[in-house]
């Protein structure tokens, strides 16, 4: 069977899907959450198709999963106004609520989320083609992230539950919320990456307007009720639809205080520039990257191949942290390519519910065409696909293409492919990958492979001032979530880790007074009689 036949043979009849993974009836989501109400939308809807194709009586067809509202500027304004009212210039019930009470709301939400686990995981799988195992991991990681964030917010509160006396001034320093946060996550981690901004933003006392990514919308539906029931009205609001229609007026209003956006730098620039008062806007951005793997002469080939396969092709290479270009020293170039191609051939392709499946269909409709263009362009400039069946497509499935030798004339040398194309560059002089990183528009992470400590130390020292994480004999990755996750240049703005995220969604704020007897009496009375939500020495246990 050639690769094309193999890919076609992966397609099945919908009846062949094991019952517990079936998509079920199409979900017509008419409701959206605004001001503590699930409002019903009667206007135009957006159909949602799965990247999974089935064999039907009339040929191969993508599965219709459901539809969601295409809201207009008016509903977006309602959502924003609800968030503005709930914040109420920092005097609303949520921003002034004691942290312990906010934590209780978040715990209630987490419990409701756990109750909906199976439907969220299943829809995550159907909407973006993520394997069921990875969808489950994404869900579990998100719940763990919420729990860790709750612990971190308690720590933060404990650390500020005291007065500081300095040069005759008495002060209490705490972190205060920033206002209304617009949260927009990416399609590749529509649950996890959205919630890694939304949850800390909420816990710090901000109110939120949340727009799910274009792909990965319906999976959030079971959580709308959970948001409504767990938080005061207006604290969480949702918008759906075309970004130009619903996001532009929100930003143009000037009422958004924080933009939390994970996606491309092109789109983030369009969105942020719409804000009329840029100095008021804080931006927390996770953007694109082109993380290189540098395989040096002394690399252990088994480790390098294994980590480069995982790094470049986990979730079909659709991770911002994926290894998107490999530089391999010419002395080991041939054996590396041979083993790498063999390892890619071993990867299991199939449908997302299949056990141990590794490569699955891609959710972006034109993605396979785009990747094919990259391959064609590289071939035109002298590269070839070195693995069996590389680049063969079947509807939304694109069999990984390992391209070598890649040179600077090719588009794939610079463009972020975010998909299963692996460009391999042969180098003689270590200056080649070093210069690549220095010239790149991106600066997220790098992976170094080698055993010679002189070389690794030299490369590490050169790289730490170019990127934000240097991985040794390991693929690039975001986790563990307690580690800082950020990037230089066009790759990010602000740092996200469990504890850093709490900082980026808040600002250090001080109440201070000269240490006179009368001022001390005032402070004492306010604290003892618990007259203030801010000024307090309560210690969360
Ligand atoms: O797409 C970017 C994700 O944050 C990657 O996370 O490295 O843990 O897969 P990960």
């Amino acid at each position: 069977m050639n690769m094309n036949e193999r890919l076609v043979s992966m397609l099945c009849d919908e009846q062949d899907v094991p019952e517990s993974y079936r998509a079920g009836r199409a979900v017509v989501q008419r409701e959206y959450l605004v001001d503590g109400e699930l409002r019903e939308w009667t206007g135009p809807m957006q159909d949602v198709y799965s990247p999974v194709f089935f064999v039907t009586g009339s040929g191969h067809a993508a599965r219709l999963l459901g539809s969601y509202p295409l809201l207009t500027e008016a509903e977006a304004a309602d959502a924003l106004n609800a968030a503005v009212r709930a914040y109420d210039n920092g005097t609303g019930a949520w921003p002034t609520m004691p942290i312990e009470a906010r934590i209780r709301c978040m715990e209630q939400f987490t419990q409701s989320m756990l109750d909906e686990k199976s439907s969220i995981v299943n829809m995550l799988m159907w909407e973006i083609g993520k394997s069921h195992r990875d969808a489950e991991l994404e869900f579990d990681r998100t719940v763990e992230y919420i729990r860790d964030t709750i612990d971190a917010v308690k720590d933060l509160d404990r650390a500020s539950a005291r007065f500081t006396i300095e040069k005759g001034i008495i002060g209490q320093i705490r972190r205060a919320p920033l206002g209304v946060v617009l949260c927009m996550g990416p399609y590749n981690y529509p649950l996890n990456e959205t919630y890694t901004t939304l949850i800390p933003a909420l816990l710090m006392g901000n109110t939120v307007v949340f727009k799910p990514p274009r792909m990965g919308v319906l999976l959030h539906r079971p959580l709308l009720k959970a948001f409504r029931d767990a938080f005061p009205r207006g604290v969480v609001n949702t918008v759906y639809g075309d970004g130009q229609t619903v996001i532009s007026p929100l930003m143009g209003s000037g009422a958004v205080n924080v933009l939390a956006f994970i996606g491309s730098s092109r789109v983030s620039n369009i969105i942020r520039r719409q804000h009329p008062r840029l100095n008021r806007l804080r931006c927390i951005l996770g953007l694109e990257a082109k993380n290189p793997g540098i395989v040096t002469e002394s690399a252990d080939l088994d480790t390098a191949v294994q980590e480069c396969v995982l790094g470049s092709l986990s979730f079909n290479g659709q991770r911002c942290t994926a290894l998107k270009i490999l530089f391999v020293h010419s002395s080991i170039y041939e054996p590396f390519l041979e083993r790498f191609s063999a390892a890619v051939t071993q990867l299991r392709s199939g449908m997302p519910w299949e056990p141990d499946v590794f490569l699955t269909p891609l959710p972006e409709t034109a993605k396979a065409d785009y990747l094919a263009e990259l391959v064609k362009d590289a071939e035109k400039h002298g590269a070839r696909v070195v693995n069996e069946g590389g680049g063969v497509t079947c509807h939304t499935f694109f069999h990984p293409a390992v391209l070598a030798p890649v040179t600077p004339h090719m588009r794939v040398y610079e463009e972020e492919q975010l998909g299963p194309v692996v460009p391999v560059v042969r180098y003689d002089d270590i200056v080649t990958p070093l210069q690549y990183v220095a010239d790149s528009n991106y600066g997220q992470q790098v992976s170094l492979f080698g055993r010679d400590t002189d070389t690794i130390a030299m490369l590490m020292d050169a790289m730490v001032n170019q990127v934000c994480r240097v991985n040794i004999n390991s693929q690039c990755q975001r986790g563990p979530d307690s580690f800082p996750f950020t990037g230089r240049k066009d790759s990010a703005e602000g740092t996200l880790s469990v504890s850093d995220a709490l900082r980026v969604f808040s600002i250090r704020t001080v109440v201070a007074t000269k240490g006179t007897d009368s001022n001390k009496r005032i402070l004492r009375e306010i604290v003892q009689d618990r007259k203030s939500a801010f000024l307090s020495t309560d210690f969360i246990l």
Side-chain angles (χ1 to χ4, degrees), residues 188-253:
N188 56 350
Y189 286 79
L191 184 73
N192 183 260
E193 293 233 314
T194 308
Y195 283 41
T196 57
T197 59
L198 195 138
I199 299 298
L202 286 174
L203 274 172
M204 292 313 290
N206 302 282
T207 60
V208 167
V209 177
F210 152 45
K211 179 183 179 295
R214 201 160 40 84
M215 291 161 293
V217 178
L218 298 174
L219 69 100
H220 296 281
R221 187 191 188 206
L223 297 174
L224 295 183
K225 280 198 183 101
F227 278 127
R228 181 196 62 188
D229 297 343
F231 299 100
R233 63 188 303 165
V235 170
V236 181
N237 308 276
T238 58
V239 291
Y240 303 93
D242 170 53
Q244 186 90 18
T245 311
V246 294
I247 297 301
S248 303
L250 295 189
M251 291 304 286
S253 72

Side-chain angles (χ1 to χ4, degrees), residues 141 188-189 192-193 318-321 476-479 485:
R141 177 180 179 178
N188 56 350
Y189 286 79
N192 183 260
E193 293 233 314
Q318 300 169 114
R319 295 158 62 226
C320 61
T321 47
C476 295
Q477 62 184 52
R478 175 178 177 151
F485 178 54

Side-chain angles (χ1 to χ4, degrees), residues 31 33 42 48 74 143 238 246 265 295 321 408 414 507 533:
E31 64 277 20
L33 177 64
T42 51
V48 178
V143 170
T238 58
V246 294
S265 54
V295 185
T321 47
E414 276 184 5
I507 188 159

Side-chain angles (χ1 to χ4, degrees), residues 114-154:
L114 282 166
D115 295 343
E116 296 290 346
K117 176 172 174 175
S118 64
S119 50
I120 295 171
V121 168
N122 214 38
M123 191 52 98
L124 180 54
M125 176 187 87
W126 282 105
E127 276 192 276
I128 62 162
K130 189 168 269 196
S131 73
H132 191 270
R133 190 197 53 227
D134 283 350
E136 198 157 18
L137 284 175
E138 180 169 344
F139 182 96
D140 293 343
R141 177 180 179 178
T142 307
V143 170
E144 193 182 328
Y145 190 93
I146 299 177
R147 291 187 172 140
D148 290 347
T149 305
I150 289 174
D151 287 342
V153 86
K154 285 181 183 167

